[in-house]
């Protein structure tokens, strides 16, 4: 059965904006968009006057096993595998309702994200498409070590990567530097070496998979880029040399601007460990400057929040997009960062990430146009995944059957 939404504004995800246009969905795929969709008939026609349609969005850095409490590491430590699995599902539903139809989960204890991914793919439950890393790989005592796989030396890291791929990981997550949340480590200090990371990246590539590096300090970022990493997560301390290196290697930046923002905004809450507050405050302004420099230089950006970190709630993807806009990225590029760029990072762009003929019908209906009001990303009227409405607010669109 074909469904046409007419009189809408539509962003393709590839930088194009179509106004007073249409899209036709047939089964689980997009049949037509733009002038062709306006021209072609459909069994059901829905008047979408005033609505804006964008592709289903990707949050490229989430932790489904973390709720955004002040001390998420303590929460993880106290969870049983069963409770963690339930937590993954609840948080994934929040993502879906916000218009995020795909998430890249970058670190879950016991590889629970991989089993949760499988449960959705097998139809046991509805949720966003999950691309999972399982447990991250860190040096002994490295950032996030309490819920990661510790490994040292090229052989040790290579073996850990192979074991993680054996468990079914879609992406290998590595810790290239220290981080904010782990006590006793400096966000600016390198951790896994270039050679260690290259060993893991080689294994990921051999298996047809991608890689991601938590990388905040300059030297650690350069190590990860030279090692062939697919994405740099956070990228707090970027200089001109590092940015040039990223452009040369085609490395994508996932800035996670919301993560330090929410720690700084809630620094006086008393719920966040003092060491994390201090490090986030020290990094905050540099992070913003680095993002702007990378953006101006033409580094490819994919949107991710680090959802699950302190006060950084699942379902608040819009905040990352608002911060990108505040720091200078235009709305069409923001949408591309949250859709097509993200899909391309995951090698999923042949089937998702844009609204065009033949691609999966993952899309979001907004009540307003984000080019007119950046807050429109919060005004989700409906979310469709594979042509099926998986979330709808009150006030259904009017359908004209048999047009």
């Amino acid at each position: 059965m074909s469904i046409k939404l007419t009189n809408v504004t539509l962003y393709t995800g590839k930088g194009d904006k179509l106004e007073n246009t249409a899209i036709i969905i047939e089964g689980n795929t997009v049949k037509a968009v733009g002038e062709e969709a306006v021209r072609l008939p459909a069994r059901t026609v829905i008047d979408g006057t005033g609505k804006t349609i964008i592709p289903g969005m990707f949050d490229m850095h989430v932790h489904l096993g973390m709720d955004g409490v002040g001390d998420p590491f303590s929460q993880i430590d106290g969870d049983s595998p069963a409770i963690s699995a339930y937590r993954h599902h609840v948080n994934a539903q929040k993502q879906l309702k916000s218009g995020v139809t795909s998430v890249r989960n970058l670190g879950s204890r016991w590889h629970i994200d991989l089993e949760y991914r499988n449960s959705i793919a097998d139809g046991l439950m509805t949720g966003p498409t999950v691309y999972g890393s399982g447990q991250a790989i860190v040096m002994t005592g490295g950032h996030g070590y309490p819920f990661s796989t510790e490994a040292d030396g090229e052989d040790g890291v290579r073996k850990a990567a192979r074991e993680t791929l054996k468990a079914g990981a879609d992406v290998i997550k590595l810790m290239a530097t220290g981080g904010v949340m782990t006590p006793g480590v400096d966000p600016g200090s390198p951790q896994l070496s270039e050679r260690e990371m290259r060993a893991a990246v080689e294994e990921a590539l051999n298996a047809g998979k991608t890689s991601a590096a938590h990388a905040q300090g300059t030297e650690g970022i350069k190590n990860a880029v030279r090692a062939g990493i697919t994405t740099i997560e956070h990228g707090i301390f970027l200089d001109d040399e590092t940015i040039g290196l990223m452009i040369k290697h085609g490395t994508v930046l996932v800035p996670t601007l919301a993560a330090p923002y929410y720690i700084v905004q809630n620094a006086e809450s008393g719920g966040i460990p003092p060491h994390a507050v201090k490090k986030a405050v020290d990094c905050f302004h540099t992070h913003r400057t680095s993002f702007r420099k990378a953006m101006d230089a033409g580094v490819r950006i994919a949107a991710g929040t680090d959802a699950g970190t302190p006060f950084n709630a699942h379902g608040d993807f819009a905040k990352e997009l608002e911060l990108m806009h505040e720091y200078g990225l235009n709305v069409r590029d923001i949408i591309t960062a949250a859709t097509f760029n993200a899909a391309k990072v995951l090698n999923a762009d042949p089937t998702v990430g844009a609204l065009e003929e033949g691609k999966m019908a993952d899309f979001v209906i907004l009540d307003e146009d984000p080019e007119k009001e950046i807050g429109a990303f919060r005004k989700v009227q409906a979310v469709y995944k594979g042509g099926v409405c998986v979330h709808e607010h009150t006030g259904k669109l009017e359908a004209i059957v048999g047009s």
Side-chain angles (χ1 to χ4, degrees), residues 149-163:
T149 301
E150 293 177 283
D152 301 296
E154 292 176 60
D155 290 344
V157 172
R158 188 181 299 277
K159 186 174 190 331
R162 287 174 174 174
E163 289 175 341

Side-chain angles (χ1 to χ4, degrees), residues 7 24 28 33 47 108 143 157 160 205 210 214 234 297 372 395:
N7 305 316
I24 297 177
N28 62 359
V33 296
D47 182 8
S108 282
H143 176 57
V157 172
L205 290 172
T210 59
H214 162 100
H234 317 304
K372 296 179 180 178

Side-chain angles (χ1 to χ4, degrees), residues 9-21 52-53 331-332 335 369-372:
T9 296
L10 185 145
Y11 292 87
T12 64
K14 291 185 172 180
D16 297 317
K17 178 183 181 181
L18 310 177
E19 298 188 79
N20 193 28
T21 191
T52 295
I53 298 178
V331 167
R332 296 190 197 188
I335 292 172
D369 182 348
E371 273 197 330
K372 296 179 180 178

Side-chain angles (χ1 to χ4, degrees), residues 332-399:
R332 296 190 197 188
D333 286 343
I334 288 170
I335 292 172
T336 298
T339 58
F340 182 72
N341 281 0
K344 196 165 182 63
V345 164
L346 294 162
N347 298 322
D349 53 299
T351 56
V352 290
L355 293 176
E356 55 190 10
E357 181 183 355
K359 294 206 171 168
M360 289 292 293
D362 291 1
F363 63 95
V364 183
I365 302 175
L366 302 174
D367 285 331
E368 295 182 17
D369 182 348
E371 273 197 330
K372 296 179 180 178
E373 170 53 55
I374 194 65
F377 289 115
R378 297 187 179 275
K379 298 177 181 179
V380 174
Q381 199 275 331
V383 181
Y384 283 75
K385 191 168 185 297
V388 176
C389 183
V390 292
H391 178 70
E392 186 171 26
H393 287 287
T394 56
K396 291 186 177 181
L397 298 174
E398 182 179 356

Side-chain angles (χ1 to χ4, degrees), residues 28-307:
N28 62 359
T29 60
V30 177
K31 180 179 180 181
V33 296
E35 292 183 7
E36 185 179 11
V38 171
R39 177 177 55 83
L40 290 175
R43 183 184 179 98
T44 302
V45 178
I46 299 175
D47 182 8
T49 299
K51 305 298 182 183
T52 295
I53 298 178
I54 63 174
M57 295 184 287
F58 291 67
D59 191 333
M60 290 291 283
H61 191 134
V62 306
H63 297 279
L64 292 175
M66 292 160 47
D67 282 353
V69 297
D71 188 355
F73 282 18
S74 292
Q75 175 198 292
I76 292 173
D77 186 56
D79 277 354
S80 66
I83 289 296
S84 181
Y86 297 143
R87 205 180 296 282
H88 276 65
H89 182 60
V90 169
N91 289 329
Q93 296 309 300
K94 294 175 182 177
Q95 292 280 355
L96 195 60
K97 289 178 181 179
S98 72
V100 173
T101 54
S102 300
V103 298
R104 188 176 62 153
N105 190 83
L106 292 182
S108 282
R109 196 177 186 186
W110 303 297
H111 300 317
I112 284 176
D113 58 334
L114 307 182
E115 292 299 333
Y116 180 62
R117 172 203 63 196
N118 294 344
S119 72
I120 293 172
D122 291 344
L124 295 177
M125 57 191 71
T126 299
T129 300
V130 176
Y131 300 86
S133 73
Q135 293 191 169
I137 299 171
V138 308
M139 73 176 196
T140 297
H143 176 57
Y145 73 86
F147 54 95
S148 302
T149 301
E150 293 177 283
D152 301 296
E154 292 176 60
D155 290 344
V157 172
R158 188 181 299 277
K159 186 174 190 331
R162 287 174 174 174
E163 289 175 341
T164 305
L165 291 165
K166 179 182 177 182
D170 302 296
V171 53
I172 294 295
K173 168 77 178 294
L174 304 166
M175 299 297 192
T177 70
V180 168
M181 292 306 301
T182 305
V185 303
D186 180 357
S189 64
Q191 293 199 345
L192 289 173
S193 71
E194 179 182 336
R195 288 183 175 182
E196 287 173 319
M197 286 188 282
R198 184 177 292 115
V201 169
E202 286 176 357
E203 293 305 320
L205 290 172
N206 289 343
K209 308 294 184 179
T210 59
S211 55
H214 162 100
Q216 298 184 348
T218 308
E219 287 305 312
I221 297 171
K222 288 191 285 189
N223 286 342
V225 173
R226 287 191 295 256
I229 208 78
T230 309
T231 62
I232 292 294
E233 310 300 308
H234 317 304
I236 292 175
F237 297 97
L238 293 174
D239 60 13
D240 291 339
E241 180 187 357
T242 309
I243 288 170
L245 200 61
M246 292 179 70
I247 292 172
K248 176 183 176 182
H249 287 263
T251 315
V252 177
L253 175 65
V254 181
T256 67
L257 301 171
Y261 171 86
Y262 276 120
I263 293 176
V264 170
Q265 291 298 307
N266 294 278
E268 304 299 322
S269 68
I272 307 172
H275 68 265
V277 172
K278 182 182 186 307
K279 287 188 277 187
V281 169
D282 290 345
C283 293
F284 182 66
H285 293 294
T286 303
H287 193 190
R288 180 171 57 188
T289 300
S290 290
F291 172 75
R292 285 174 169 160
K293 288 174 66 175
M295 174 190 70
D296 290 342
V299 171
R300 192 151 53 100
I301 295 168
T305 60
D306 208 1

